Amino acid sequence: MVGFAMAKTSYSGDLIRANKKAVLAMPTEELAEATMACGGSAGRNTDKVTKFAIDMQPLDGSAIQIPVHCCLAIACSITEVVEVGDHYLYIGAVDGIRGDLGKKALFAWDKDSVSLRPAR
C-alpha cells in the first residue's frame, strides 16, 4: 500500500478521486526545470506536458503515462480518501512498480526554499 496527500484544491486530486487511480512518479535530474515549472503552474487550465515539452511513455498496467525521464513510478488503485485539514490523504493498493536504479532522482529541499539537485 502507499499513501500521499494533496491539497483539496488540486486538479490532479480531482482526477484521482474521479478515476480511483494514481501514479506516483519521481522525476530524474533531466526534468529539473520542467519539474519546477510544473509545480508553479495550474494543470486545470494548462497542458503541462505540452507546455514544458515533457516526453511521455506508457506504464504497463495503467492508462496513465509517465515521463520518460523518471526513475520510479508506482501505479496504485485508490482504496480510501481521508480529509485531513486542507488536504486529502489518498491511500492506495500498489498495482505495479517500475524503477531504474541507473537514473538519478531529484531531491527538492534547500533550507528556506525549494531547489532541485540530484539525490545522493
Side-chain angles (χ1 to χ4, degrees):
M1 299 205 66
V2 65
F4 59 95
M6 296 176 79
K8 288 182 178 178
T9 58
S10 166
Y11 178 59
S12 295
D14 291 346
L15 297 173
I16 291 168
R17 288 189 306 282
N19 295 305
K20 306 290 189 222
K21 296 283 186 181
V23 173
L24 305 175
M26 180 171 287
T28 61
E29 54 191 2
E30 288 90 351
L31 286 178
E33 286 183 34
T35 300
M36 290 302 290
C38 283
S41 176
R44 192 174 309 275
N45 302 313
T46 304
D47 177 349
K48 295 180 187 185
V49 171
T50 301
K51 183 175 182 178
F52 303 117
I54 301 170
D55 294 325
M56 301 297 283
Q57 65 183 341
L59 178 62
D60 294 339
S62 175
I64 302 170
Q65 292 195 336
I66 61 170
V68 168
H69 298 293
C70 181
C71 62
L72 177 66
I74 303 169
C76 62
S77 296
I78 302 303
T79 58
E80 190 172 353
V81 179
V82 180
E83 274 192 70
V84 287
D86 61 352
H87 283 62
Y88 288 117
L89 173 63
Y90 297 90
I91 301 168
V94 174
D95 297 327
I97 298 173
R98 177 194 285 179
D100 185 343
L101 295 175
K103 294 182 178 180
K104 291 184 181 180
L106 291 178
F107 176 74
W109 177 76
D110 192 4
K111 213 171 187 179
D112 298 319
S113 64
V114 176
S115 66
L116 297 174
R117 57 180 181 251
R120 302 278 178 230

